[in-house]
Amino acid sequence: MRLVADAVEPTTAPKGVPVLEAKRLVKTFGKVVGLDGVSLQLHAGEVLAIIGDNGAGKSTLIKCLTGAYVPDQGELLLDGEPVHFKRPQDARDAGIETVYQNLAVSPALDVASNLFLGRERRKPGIAGTVFRALDTSGMRKEAREQVQRLGISTLQDVTVAVENLSGGQRQAVAVARAAAFGSKVV
């Protein structure tokens, strides 16, 4: 299994400072050691792959980097500044998006709705503010643009329910969602 991190946009850190850095991360689960002093650096424009056997700590590391787990020890730095993510939304707010193994897509929703899941846009004016109507056409238009920008040719119709897509197409939806909103790291 391979996990890939990609620094997707220019960093605000001084030249040579990693976009994301982990120093001596430790994570335990009772007596089980998930991570034992793991360090890494991800620089702007770099693709970093983490490869290892089952139980080696790959998923635990990613969850510590993205706020799903809080490390017991160690330090996380974003653009050279210490950060403390207590939940995944903290990492998202800081510009870190994650594509998990289970993809976290909603099969009954269409491609566009999955891209905006949890970030739905409302129609402008009274329709959106009072009646809370979604801007479905705007989200579909932006979803089409995002899919095209990424060169995903297998997703022609963003109105198709995800349950009707192949496994690879579902992965493409999850990656497109992360790339659409990840401002620093995917």
Side-chain angles (χ1 to χ4, degrees):
M1 177 188 206
R2 182 178 73 160
L3 298 173
V4 177
D6 183 12
V8 293
E9 285 208 6
T11 178
T12 57
K15 187 173 180 156
V17 173
V19 175
L20 181 64
E21 184 173 9
K23 293 183 178 181
R24 301 169 307 281
L25 293 185
V26 173
K27 181 64 182 170
T28 58
F29 303 93
K31 293 184 179 184
V32 176
V33 178
L35 300 177
D36 189 13
V38 175
S39 297
L40 65 81
Q41 294 181 341
L42 177 66
H43 293 272
E46 181 178 41
V47 175
L48 174 66
I50 301 166
I51 302 170
D53 292 333
N54 287 341
K58 301 176 303 292
S59 295
T60 300
L61 173 61
I62 295 305
K63 288 177 180 179
C64 285
L65 296 175
T66 61
Y69 290 160
V70 176
D72 299 323
Q73 293 178 27
E75 185 176 22
L76 284 177
L77 298 116
L78 190 62
D79 291 333
E81 298 294 323
V83 291
H84 303 281
F85 302 138
K86 293 186 181 356
R87 57 195 181 104
Q89 190 60 48
D90 295 340
R92 281 181 161 172
D93 292 344
I96 298 173
E97 286 290 330
T98 308
V99 179
Y100 292 101
Q101 289 173 307
N102 64 3
L103 302 180
V105 292
S106 181
L109 297 179
D110 65 25
V111 171
S113 297
N114 267 280
L115 256 64
F116 286 92
L117 195 59
R119 297 180 172 116
E120 292 84 358
R121 305 245 169 94
R122 304 265 180 224
K123 286 185 176 183
I126 194 167
T129 56
V130 175
F131 298 109
R132 306 190 48 77
L134 295 179
D135 183 8
T136 305
S137 62
M139 289 187 291
R140 286 180 175 167
K141 179 180 183 280
E142 192 171 332
R144 275 187 216 94
E145 291 169 359
Q146 182 64 21
V147 166
Q148 288 173 353
R149 185 179 74 78
L150 291 172
I152 302 171
S153 59
T154 60
L155 293 176
Q156 299 296 320
D157 184 0
V158 297
T159 65
V160 171
V162 168
E163 64 192 353
N164 296 323
L165 301 177
S166 70
Q169 289 171 317
R170 290 177 190 208
Q171 285 179 327
V173 171
V175 169
R177 180 179 55 217
F181 296 102
S183 61
K184 290 184 183 285
V185 177
V186 174

